[in-house]
Amino acid sequence: MESFPQGSVGLVQPQTQQFDTPLALANGRTLHNYQLVYETYGTLNEDCSNAVLVCHALSGDHHAAGFHSETDKRPGWWDNYIGPGKAIDTNKFFVVSPNNIGGCSGSTGPLTTNPETGKPWGSDFPTLRVRDWVETQKALADLLNIKQWAAIVGGSLGGMQAMRWALEYPDRVRHCVAIASALKLTAQNIAFNETARQAIMADPSFFDGQYLEKNTIPRDGLAVARMIGHITYLSGDGMGQKFGRDLRSGSFQLGTDDPLEFEIESYLRYQGSKFSTAFDANTYILMTRALDYFDLAREYDHDAVKAFSHAQCKFLILSFTTDWRFSPVRSQEIVQALLHAKKSVSYAEIESTYGHDAFLIPNERYNQAFTAYMKNVAADIPQGGRQ
């Protein structure tokens, strides 16, 4: 008998959809066909007006909520906020959560077969832009007969996708929720991403990205890349509260030669090791470059106000006090541009010690703001479409 926590969507099954219509990518190349893996939660109403698109961040995937089996120890990555009675209430919304192309969880990407060679794409997989993901998500929406999303929601890189949707297909979005996101990356952010990529590419097992042909993976380089990223996703206060300068082994006592190991060192090595066997190195490089390339206002004379003038939806922008990777200043830039573009926008800066990772973690104030806004989204569903 199924037994899941209260508020869980329960047992979920990923779906795979093949698309045979060629996809013209932003870099000029074409994918002649591709597949998307996705999950859905809740029930689509009669006129398909209650759908919410959830866009994942750098290391996310389609499994945003629920469990794949009764023995799963951990639910989807945003299970705290998706489910019956939660912020994204599956009693009200039909939630669609795809794994983006270029990912490593089943959608077409570096791990899948290049039809021209019969071998995995590896590092030959084309570079991607956020707008490419929007195009594939639009194809999925068309397939599901979703003419307009009640809301498009995402954190970090997911928020960038939500904002790009608001500009590319303004008549197909009623609400855009961008959490811990930015109009573009800072130079420091790009530097962190490049340092992580260099760690991967310097691994002797990388083999110019064709490591699968050598039956190996750049485990050490990917682990270091994850450690670099993980440090930047946390906050100094958060790390201090959780680890301080506690030792896991060794001693400062005189006369002992035992090697010292701090708790934070052990934690980072564990996170890096776990990630290195669960995530693809080429996907990590691909995703971080897509982050670097993103600039919402580039083709609008680098004017965010001019960019947002094309949007028709309402916006919720959320940030977190200790997030220095996507600081509140970056969210405030979005808010100011929206206000100058005379758009409807709500904003909240949430107190948290968890840094950038705060958008994934339970927080009472965050939950209140998020839930209150999503209740407004539900109230905006056309009357004829209520379940």
Side-chain angles (χ1 to χ4, degrees), residues 19-24 30-34:
F19 293 90
D20 292 321
T21 302
L23 176 66
T30 298
L31 283 179
H32 297 291
N33 56 67
Y34 62 95

Side-chain angles (χ1 to χ4, degrees), residues 15-17 19 36-54 94-98 136-149 165 172:
Q15 302 175 63
T16 301
Q17 180 62 48
F19 293 90
L36 286 181
V37 175
Y38 67 101
E39 290 181 0
T40 65
Y41 323 112
T43 303
L44 189 62
N45 61 10
E46 280 189 29
D47 62 359
C48 305
S49 61
N50 69 330
V52 171
L53 176 66
V54 170
F94 175 68
V95 183
V96 181
S97 176
T136 62
Q137 292 159 2
K138 174 182 174 291
L140 182 59
D142 291 344
L143 181 80
L144 297 172
N145 199 33
I146 297 166
K147 305 301 183 186
Q148 187 183 63
W149 296 100
W165 256 100
R172 300 193 65 166

Side-chain angles (χ1 to χ4, degrees), residues 79-101:
D79 194 75
N80 290 317
Y81 296 99
I82 301 173
K86 295 180 181 177
I88 305 178
D89 190 344
T90 51
N91 289 330
K92 301 175 181 177
F93 300 115
F94 175 68
V95 183
V96 181
S97 176
N99 175 224
N100 289 334
I101 59 169

Side-chain angles (χ1 to χ4, degrees), residues 93-348:
F93 300 115
F94 175 68
V95 183
V96 181
S97 176
N99 175 224
N100 289 334
I101 59 169
C104 54
S105 298
S107 293
T108 296
L111 291 178
T112 59
T113 301
N114 180 347
E116 295 181 5
T117 65
K119 299 177 181 179
W121 278 97
S123 58
D124 291 333
F125 195 82
T127 57
L128 296 171
R129 305 287 176 90
V130 168
R131 65 178 67 248
D132 296 322
W133 294 328
V134 169
E135 291 302 318
T136 62
Q137 292 159 2
K138 174 182 174 291
L140 182 59
D142 291 344
L143 181 80
L144 297 172
N145 199 33
I146 297 166
K147 305 301 183 186
Q148 187 183 63
W149 296 100
I152 300 180
V153 186
S156 190
L157 181 57
M160 293 173 173
Q161 295 166 60
M163 289 188 291
R164 179 59 73 188
W165 256 100
L167 303 192
E168 297 297 312
Y169 298 101
D171 60 332
R172 300 193 65 166
V173 190
R174 290 201 297 281
H175 293 265
C176 171
V177 180
I179 305 169
S181 196
L183 294 169
K184 58 186 176 183
L185 288 196
T186 62
Q188 184 186 49
N189 259 329
I190 295 171
F192 279 127
N193 286 342
E194 176 61 9
T195 304
R197 289 192 293 265
Q198 287 297 324
I200 293 171
M201 293 186 284
D203 190 312
S205 296
F206 184 63
F207 294 108
D208 293 324
Q210 301 304 332
Y211 43 85
L212 294 179
E213 294 183 20
K214 303 289 186 179
N215 198 31
T216 187
I217 57 174
R219 183 177 283 106
D220 292 343
L222 189 55
V224 172
R226 181 57 172 176
M227 289 167 70
I228 293 167
H230 204 65
I231 291 167
T232 70
Y233 301 148
L234 302 175
S235 73
D237 287 345
M239 282 193 283
Q241 290 173 14
K242 186 171 183 178
F243 303 105
R245 289 178 53 83
D246 293 347
L247 291 174
R248 182 174 178 81
S249 64
S251 170
F252 283 108
Q253 186 176 350
L254 291 175
T256 59
D257 294 323
D258 294 338
L260 299 172
E261 182 185 28
F262 289 95
E263 287 284 0
I264 185 61
E265 293 176 306
S266 174
Y267 171 77
L268 286 174
R269 281 198 291 269
Y270 168 75
Q271 292 294 333
S273 176
K274 183 174 69 170
F275 188 77
S276 70
T277 57
F279 206 80
D280 177 57
N282 280 317
T283 290
Y284 194 89
I285 291 171
L286 193 76
M287 294 286 185
T288 55
R289 283 185 171 146
L291 261 172
D292 293 352
Y293 298 154
F294 181 78
D295 183 345
L296 192 73
R298 181 184 291 114
E299 65 265 44
Y300 300 95
D301 300 323
H302 295 279
D303 184 343
V305 177
K306 185 184 292 188
F308 280 128
S309 69
H310 296 268
Q312 299 175 15
C313 62
K314 298 177 181 179
F315 290 81
L316 171 65
I317 309 298
L318 297 174
S319 67
F320 299 92
T321 53
T322 56
D323 182 355
W324 56 279
R325 189 81 192 256
F326 288 77
S327 75
V329 172
R330 303 283 81 81
S331 288
Q332 290 160 16
E333 290 171 348
I334 298 170
V335 172
Q336 287 303 311
L338 286 166
L339 289 173
H340 286 298
K342 296 180 171 53
K343 303 301 173 183
S344 173
V345 56
S346 301
Y347 173 64

